Every structure is written in C-alpha cells, then in structure tokens.
Amino acid sequence: DNKIISSSCDAGETDVVLSMKLSSSVSCDYTVDLSTMKMENEETGEIYDITSSRKKTFIPELLHSASKDKEKEDCRLTLLNDEPALYDELCQTMLLLLFEVYRSSATPNVRYRCLHCLLRIIYHSRAESIKSIAELLPLSSTVAGMLSSQDSRLVIYGLQLSEILMKKQPVLFAVYFKREGVMHAVKKILSETSVLPGRSNVDTVSVSSTST
C-alpha cells in the first residue's frame, strides 16, 4: 500500500483507492487524498490523517481503529435497508445531479469525482432499480464515450461502470451495450492492449468494500 501511494505521488495523481485487509474475514476500501494526506473509509465515510515523510507514507497504525469502525453498526445502512423505496429515490436524485455536473464540467478532477460517486451509487443500488435508472440516464452511450476517450482514467471508469451494469442487469445491458457500441469499444481496447510491449502499470479505482 505504501508503494502504491508513493508511486501515485510521483505520477502526480490527486488520489488513490486502497483495499486493506483488516482481518482474515474483513476488508475495506479507502480513498487517499494525496493533496491533504487524508484517508476516507469508503463504507462509513470516516476520515483519518496520514503521516507522510517524503516518499514514505505510514498507515498501518490506522488499521486497528479502522477495524473497529468496520464492526460498528451503521445506522444509515439500517435505515436504507429498511426503506428500499427511499434508497432508490435518493439514488436517482443523486445520479441525475452527478450526471448533470459530469456532462457540463470541463474540469477533469470534477468529472473524476462525479464518476467516482456515480460508480459507488450504482454498485450499491439494487438490481431492480437499475432498470429505472437506465430509463432516466443515458448510461450505455456515456460508457461508450468514456471507453473511446483518450483519457486513460476515463477509460478505466468506463470499464468498471460497464462491468457493474452487466453484473446488475446482464440481459438488459447486453442489448444496450451492443447497440451503443460499448462492445466494439471494449474489443478495440483489448486489441490495442495485446500489441503493447510489456505490461501496463495502471492502477484501477475501487468502488466497493467487497470487490471493485
């Protein structure tokens, strides 16, 4: 994890997502903001300070307190599990806002943040609600545009979003992705990657605490 953070700093990245194993059966994802040197728990929203010394970042001391946070019952999750309709309404409202900001903004970091939040919301959405979300938002055409971008980070977000949607609604998005050119874009990426010399060291962005 320290090596990933150091490499991201050297590459000029603004943030990086780490998946930490807190115990043999518990793991969690954290977003590290490299500009403020703070680490946010993706599931609970808890924020921790990180001690940094040049190229070394020391985070093991946070694992003990983080494991305790993981074991706490989150009242927000309890509320959303008890009120699925409320959760779906909240997700749709947030997704509409995020899409509007993403499509109207020309600032890369703003667009990245919007996509990061969008991925998290869709990942935790119920499969049943994905259909209504697909009716409200041009998900398939957006994914196709991201995969055709020259921005490698947008391509990564596009690949992750397409994977999540296919897992949630495989029959529905198999048709949409073929129609909107997502399948073609993925095949093109694979063909271009297969002819590149060596291996690419591009870090993926995780959006869940169990996978991403």
Side-chain angles (χ1 to χ4, degrees):
D1 293 334
N2 291 341
K3 186 179 295 185
I4 293 175
I5 294 178
S6 298
S7 300
S8 299
C9 287
D10 294 339
E13 297 288 343
T14 58
D15 55 59
V16 63
V17 177
L18 303 175
S19 181
M20 299 184 185
K21 196 166 187 178
L22 307 180
S23 67
S24 59
S25 59
V26 178
S27 62
C28 194
D29 289 340
Y30 294 86
T31 297
V32 180
D33 189 327
L34 299 177
S35 59
T36 61
M37 297 310 294
K38 293 184 180 296
M39 183 169 71
E40 178 183 356
N41 186 310
E42 291 281 356
E43 184 171 340
T44 66
E46 294 287 339
I47 297 178
Y48 309 89
D49 289 321
I50 298 177
T51 303
S52 177
S53 176
R54 296 191 60 141
K55 290 188 178 181
K56 284 191 175 181
T57 304
F58 304 95
I59 57 179
E61 63 271 15
L62 299 176
L63 294 181
H64 180 66
S65 60
S67 62
K68 289 183 177 180
D69 293 337
K70 181 73 176 181
E71 296 172 357
K72 292 180 180 178
E73 183 178 2
D74 193 332
C75 59
R76 298 171 300 176
L77 291 177
T78 302
L79 174 62
L80 295 178
N81 288 332
D82 293 341
E83 298 288 346
L86 174 63
Y87 179 69
D88 291 344
E89 183 180 353
L90 175 62
C91 287
Q92 291 180 12
T93 302
M94 292 299 299
L95 287 173
L96 287 170
L97 176 61
L98 289 169
F99 250 82
E100 183 64 28
V101 175
Y102 169 76
R103 299 178 70 176
S104 61
S105 176
T107 306
N109 284 338
V110 173
R111 304 189 82 194
Y112 297 153
R113 288 293 185 181
C114 288
L115 289 174
H116 186 70
C117 294
L118 184 146
L119 283 169
R120 292 176 63 182
I121 292 174
I122 292 182
Y123 179 86
H124 291 288
S125 295
R126 298 181 305 122
E128 295 80 2
S129 66
I130 295 297
K131 286 185 178 181
S132 58
I133 292 175
E135 294 175 357
L136 293 173
L137 301 172
L139 295 175
S140 300
S141 60
T142 299
V143 171
M146 294 164 65
L147 296 179
S148 302
S149 173
Q150 297 299 315
D151 187 335
S152 60
R153 195 164 180 179
L154 285 182
V155 174
I156 293 173
Y157 277 122
L159 290 171
Q160 291 183 310
L161 180 55
S162 62
E163 180 185 8
I164 294 171
L165 293 174
M166 283 298 293
K167 287 182 177 179
K168 295 285 187 178
Q169 288 288 348
V171 177
L172 178 66
F173 283 100
V175 176
Y176 286 173
F177 283 176
K178 186 175 181 180
R179 180 187 305 165
E180 297 292 341
V182 175
M183 300 294 192
H184 174 74
V186 171
K187 290 179 180 178
K188 184 178 179 181
I189 292 173
L190 291 175
S191 63
E192 292 175 350
T193 304
S194 63
V195 298
L196 290 177
R199 298 178 61 183
S200 175
N201 294 320
V202 179
D203 292 330
T204 58
V205 182
S206 179
V207 296
S208 79
S209 60
T210 57
S211 58
T212 227

